[in-house]
Amino acid sequence: MDNRPIGVFDSGVGGLTVAKEIFAQLPNEEITYFGDTFRAPYGSRDLSEITVFTMQICEFLESQNVKALVIACNSIVAASYDEIVKNFKMPVIGVIEPACQEAAKYSKSAVGLMATAATVNSGAYERLFEKVGGKQAFHSIPCPSLVPIIEDGKMGSEEALNEVRKYANELLTHNIDTLILGCTHYPFLRPEVETVTEGKVYIIDPAQGTTRTLAQTLAMLNMERKETSPPEHKFFISGDRTKFDFVYKTLFSTTPDIMIHKLGE
């Protein structure tokens, strides 16, 4: 038994898709969420810079007495996963390996990945896909315009549909049958992805597999929350809360209490 919260973090608001999945699959667990909204987006940053930011976030979450770390950001996993595991003595769950496992299981021909430039350029997905036994062809494309569209609240717009079409159509030329949404922001654009792909591909939202892995890890280590009182969640961001509030309300139809905590100053 371990009643401490789970630390969940992202470069901004995308990690809320993972938080939502944790609420659904593990409704008795508490989370402490950190979104680095002041320095977002991470996807175009150098991997070494992302690692510096990541260490600051993990140190802050450690100070909040979390029992596990969930990296709800593909760019951070790609840049910093090994460094986090080396420096923090608690379970660390990333979003990439569960997605690769699911893709290797479901694909019969080829897998496509839509992700940030940092994630694509790192080659992390290809390495982990091979590690989990994936033998299918693997095709990746950086999608730099999608995170700004989401953080500006333009989901459902013609602009969003056109940008998704541009990226997805390139992957479809490789005859993919499985598509990984390799950024935790991208599930906000799933309707656009489904419109463009016309039901021809199996779409993977890494939040689902990541949460299943988290649940299995907590159970195996006897770290599940056993309190019967309702869980109390905490949300921290490093910058303006306007976009965070908008995205949170899109997911949960409410607005949370949010604390501002600057890092690296």
Side-chain angles (χ1 to χ4, degrees):
M1 178 180 75
D2 192 331
N3 294 323
R4 293 178 297 163
I6 299 160
V8 181
F9 64 100
D10 178 45
S11 60
V13 302
L16 289 173
T17 61
V18 178
K20 183 178 182 180
E21 196 63 35
I22 293 173
F23 295 161
Q25 291 191 37
L26 300 170
N28 196 45
E29 294 290 344
E30 294 183 344
I31 74 164
T32 297
Y33 182 98
F34 187 89
D36 195 5
T37 53
F38 182 72
R39 300 183 295 199
Y42 280 14
S44 58
R45 291 185 181 274
D46 183 79
L47 296 181
S48 61
E49 185 178 36
I50 293 173
T51 298
V52 170
F53 295 168
T54 299
M55 292 300 105
Q56 294 170 352
I57 295 170
C58 290
E59 287 168 2
F60 170 71
L61 288 172
E62 186 177 48
S63 77
Q64 296 295 305
N65 196 32
V66 300
K67 63 184 176 184
L69 292 169
V70 176
I71 313 168
C73 174
N74 289 264
S75 297
I76 292 175
V77 176
S80 314
Y81 179 82
D82 291 342
E83 197 71 15
I84 297 169
V85 171
K86 182 172 70 175
N87 285 280
F88 296 92
K89 306 305 179 186
M90 66 183 81
V92 179
I93 312 297
V95 289
I96 293 181
E97 188 163 343
C100 288
Q101 290 171 336
E102 190 172 355
K105 176 181 177 181
Y106 281 97
S107 177
K108 299 295 186 292
S109 57
V111 177
L113 169 71
M114 295 171 61
T116 66
T119 298
V120 171
N121 293 339
S122 75
Y125 263 96
E126 287 84 350
R127 290 193 299 273
L128 284 169
F129 186 68
E130 184 177 350
K131 175 186 171 184
V132 302
K135 304 297 184 184
Q136 303 91 328
F138 199 101
H139 304 279
S140 306
I141 185 170
C143 308
S145 65
L146 298 188
V147 169
I149 283 173
I150 294 161
E151 297 213 337
D152 287 342
K154 296 179 180 177
M155 300 83 82
S157 67
E158 193 68 23
E159 178 185 358
L161 181 61
N162 288 337
E163 290 301 301
V164 168
R165 180 178 288 115
K166 176 176 67 177
Y167 300 127
N169 279 347
E170 182 170 336
L171 289 173
L172 290 171
T173 64
H174 297 287
N175 297 315
I176 63 168
D177 64 357
T178 302
L179 175 62
I180 301 172
L181 303 181
C183 172
T184 51
H185 285 72
Y186 294 176
F188 288 105
L189 295 175
R190 183 166 184 146
E192 284 82 356
V193 174
E194 290 175 342
T195 296
V196 172
T197 57
E198 299 178 333
K200 297 175 182 177
V201 300
Y202 178 75
I203 299 171
I204 295 176
D205 174 358
Q208 297 167 351
T210 299
T211 304
R212 286 193 295 270
T213 301
L214 171 64
Q216 293 163 1
T217 301
L218 295 179
M220 180 179 64
L221 298 175
N222 193 29
M223 295 179 68
E224 296 156 300
R225 182 177 184 263
K226 300 299 185 183
E227 286 283 348
T228 57
S229 58
E232 296 182 4
H233 308 297
K234 294 181 181 178
F235 293 88
F236 294 89
I237 58 174
S238 59
D240 183 80
R241 61 176 291 164
T242 305
K243 291 180 181 178
F244 190 92
D245 281 351
F246 175 82
V247 173
Y248 188 98
K249 194 167 185 178
T250 299
L251 282 175
F252 303 109
S253 301
T254 61
T255 302
D257 291 328
I258 300 173
M259 291 165 274
I260 307 296
H261 183 82
K262 293 290 182 69
L263 295 173
E265 294 188 345

